[in-house]
Amino acid sequence: MSASRRSGTTDELGPDEPAHPEREGADLLAALLDGMDAALCAFDAAGVVTHWNREAERILGWTAAEAVGRQGFAGWAVREADAEEIEGRLMAAMRAAGRQVHEFALLTKDGGRVLVRTQSAAVRGPDGEPAGLYCAFSEVHAQIDLERSIALSEALFEDASWGVVLVDADLRPAVVNAHAARALGTGRTSVLGRPLGELLSQGVEELESALTHVLAEGAPPAPAEIWVSVRTEEGERRRCWSSGFLRLASPLTEEPVPLGVGWLFQDVTEAKQTEQEASLLRFRCNQLHRAARAAAECEDPAEAATVHLDFALAGFADHALIDRVAGGPLADGEDAEPVRLVRVAATPSGAPGPSLPPGTAGLPVRYGEGHPAVQCAERAGSVRAGAGAMAPERARAWAAARLWPEDTVHALCAVLRSRGRTLGVVTFLRGSGRSAFERADAMYAEDVAVRIATALDLAGTLKAGERPS
């Protein structure tokens, strides 16, 4: 309850009484004072309390009826020993320009002490002379909490080393800090209000699903790793963001009203790529180890070659072929006719399965001039090829022209070398669901090719009745 000496707190208009502008103004002032979040009291020029609102009553326990009309704070709201100093600092605000900020202890009705921070300023009459003062105060810890919250918000949106984005209920960025703007490849203002689909080419559905979930259910218990592709002037960048989400609700309503989502993220792309590369390397090393143990149990070296191929295929490619040089191995520097290759083994082109020999005819494969496998044998080095961004029909024609399964879009040929000679070529093929072969893939294929070449060389030596050297 707020009160003033002029209007009181219990006056009511009778049904036949006309409304007075002065009374209406006083009632409006009382309503405004009661609705304030800060405690407020006012003094006249003589230091008598004239106003006391509900928040002041909540903090100190003194009602408006008990406070209004008292001379200063002495003896009830402050200790007698502190009264002179505190009232002197308050009344000095009537002679000072602007607001004065002080901190001191007030007494509650039950005898406790509350440390408050006050803002005091003069109230001037029509003649410009001080007619009194008002004093707004709040508990120091509440004020400090507010200042900390404001300082934290400003720091997050200025100096944070991770991205901070406030997303509204329509899933559009409303506030973006500098780090997030750089990560999104745009400016802090140009990103505001734009759909996330204009900023990200991949990962939008997953991100929007997470934001919608947070709006409906609240924050998830742990950060989520989201892979996205960011549109930039230099092209698309594939990034992994470790993201945390917080639902934002208005503190000014009784029922929580969603204002949006606070999205905090950190770029962990390099760490994730390093982790993935390490995991892939461990898997491939294990496959080579398992293949070597399985091949050691094969009586036929040619069978051991296909064992190495089958183990290498897992998680690496969709199809694989082994072609051997027709007429025997090629020595380095040997002048020979164009290289012809004979199929030794191939994986089924329709469904997954172990590699199988093609038959006993031994006819050369009809590879055309410039075929990647032929180039690989002639250069004695790995060759990569791909359909690129061709339409599906053209990609199938590209694969058919090279005598590969029609779903092939990426190829990697590794030369089979043993005892300084070229024995043939192993070809790994990937479909459209996989990425193109990279340098690390070529190194793995070359490791497999060494093992296959050793097995094929031994098979040829035994077939010719030679003693292995």
Side-chain angles (χ1 to χ4, degrees), residues 325 330-333 339 372-383 413-418 420-425 446 449:
V325 175
L330 295 176
D332 291 344
V339 174
V374 175
Q375 293 182 23
C376 178
E378 291 176 345
R379 299 175 184 176
S382 299
V383 175
C413 299
V415 65
L416 302 176
R417 297 275 297 175
S418 178
R421 301 172 301 164
T422 298
L423 276 65
V425 176
E446 289 165 0

Side-chain angles (χ1 to χ4, degrees), residues 280-281 283-288 291 308-309 311-317 412 414 428 430 438-451:
L280 182 61
L281 181 60
F283 173 76
R284 290 179 175 177
C285 288
N286 288 336
Q287 286 297 96
L288 291 175
H308 282 292
L309 185 67
F311 273 93
L313 200 62
F316 182 66
L412 171 60
F428 294 99
R430 288 178 176 175
E438 299 179 352
R439 178 56 191 159
D441 298 322
M443 295 174 63
Y444 177 62
E446 289 165 0
D447 284 344
V448 175
V450 169
R451 289 161 170 78

Side-chain angles (χ1 to χ4, degrees), residues 81-135:
D82 301 330
E84 182 178 354
E85 177 189 357
I86 291 175
E87 291 185 7
R89 291 160 66 182
L90 286 176
M91 301 307 291
M94 284 196 293
R95 300 184 299 274
R99 291 180 298 176
Q100 303 295 307
V101 178
H102 302 286
E103 287 186 6
F104 45 74
L106 295 180
L107 294 178
T108 63
K109 187 176 181 179
D110 58 8
R113 301 184 70 197
V114 178
L115 184 63
V116 299
R117 179 174 295 178
T118 66
Q119 294 187 39
S120 305
V123 177
R124 301 189 181 277
D127 57 357
E129 293 298 320
L133 66 91
Y134 75 85
C135 174

Side-chain angles (χ1 to χ4, degrees), residues 122-149:
V123 177
R124 301 189 181 277
D127 57 357
E129 293 298 320
L133 66 91
Y134 75 85
C135 174
F137 61 91
S138 60
E139 297 174 83
V140 167
H141 71 81
Q143 182 71 20
I144 291 176
D145 288 345
L146 175 62
E147 292 179 2
R148 283 173 178 162
S149 297

Side-chain angles (χ1 to χ4, degrees), residues 74-363:
W76 63 286
V78 297
R79 296 189 310 174
E80 290 287 354
D82 301 330
E84 182 178 354
E85 177 189 357
I86 291 175
E87 291 185 7
R89 291 160 66 182
L90 286 176
M91 301 307 291
M94 284 196 293
R95 300 184 299 274
R99 291 180 298 176
Q100 303 295 307
V101 178
H102 302 286
E103 287 186 6
F104 45 74
L106 295 180
L107 294 178
T108 63
K109 187 176 181 179
D110 58 8
R113 301 184 70 197
V114 178
L115 184 63
V116 299
R117 179 174 295 178
T118 66
Q119 294 187 39
S120 305
V123 177
R124 301 189 181 277
D127 57 357
E129 293 298 320
L133 66 91
Y134 75 85
C135 174
F137 61 91
S138 60
E139 297 174 83
V140 167
H141 71 81
Q143 182 71 20
I144 291 176
D145 288 345
L146 175 62
E147 292 179 2
R148 283 173 178 162
S149 297
I150 296 173
L152 175 61
S153 298
E154 292 181 351
L156 285 175
F157 287 105
E158 295 296 336
D159 306 321
S161 58
W162 55 85
V164 181
V165 181
L166 297 190
V167 182
D168 63 22
D170 294 327
L171 306 186
R172 297 177 182 236
V175 185
V176 178
N177 76 342
H179 187 97
R182 289 193 299 269
L184 292 167
T186 183
R188 292 185 63 179
T189 56
S190 60
V191 71
L192 303 183
R194 294 172 59 186
L196 294 173
E198 294 183 5
L199 305 170
L200 307 174
S201 58
Q202 294 181 9
V204 178
E205 294 82 3
E206 185 179 359
L207 178 57
E208 289 184 342
S209 176
L211 295 172
T212 303
H213 173 81
V214 173
L215 280 172
E217 305 293 338
E225 292 177 353
I226 301 177
W227 282 93
V228 299
S229 290
V230 183
R231 290 192 176 100
T232 65
E233 296 180 355
E234 296 78 18
E236 294 186 358
R237 293 184 302 153
R238 182 77 168 156
R239 313 303 297 170
C240 180
W241 291 339
S242 178
S243 303
F245 303 94
L246 298 170
R247 181 166 61 178
L248 306 180
S250 173
L252 304 180
T253 58
E254 294 183 4
E255 295 294 330
V257 177
L259 296 179
V261 177
W263 171 32
L264 294 81
F265 66 90
Q266 193 169 25
D267 194 320
V268 293
T269 306
E270 293 184 4
K272 292 300 295 183
Q273 288 176 341
T274 300
E275 179 182 330
Q276 291 175 351
E277 290 171 0
S279 177
L280 182 61
L281 181 60
R282 287 194 301 270
F283 173 76
R284 290 179 175 177
C285 288
N286 288 336
Q287 286 297 96
L288 291 175
H289 175 72
R290 294 173 60 198
R293 289 177 61 88
E297 302 301 323
C298 297
E299 295 183 6
D300 183 1
E303 181 184 356
T306 61
V307 167
H308 282 292
L309 185 67
D310 291 337
F311 273 93
L313 200 62
F316 182 66
D318 298 316
H319 307 290
L321 313 168
I322 298 178
D323 297 322
R324 192 164 186 170
V325 175
L330 295 176
D332 291 344
E334 178 180 341
D335 294 331
E337 297 179 358
V339 174
R340 296 182 302 164
L341 299 171
V342 177
R343 182 65 43 82
V344 174
T347 55
S349 58
S355 53
L356 301 172
T360 58
L363 297 177

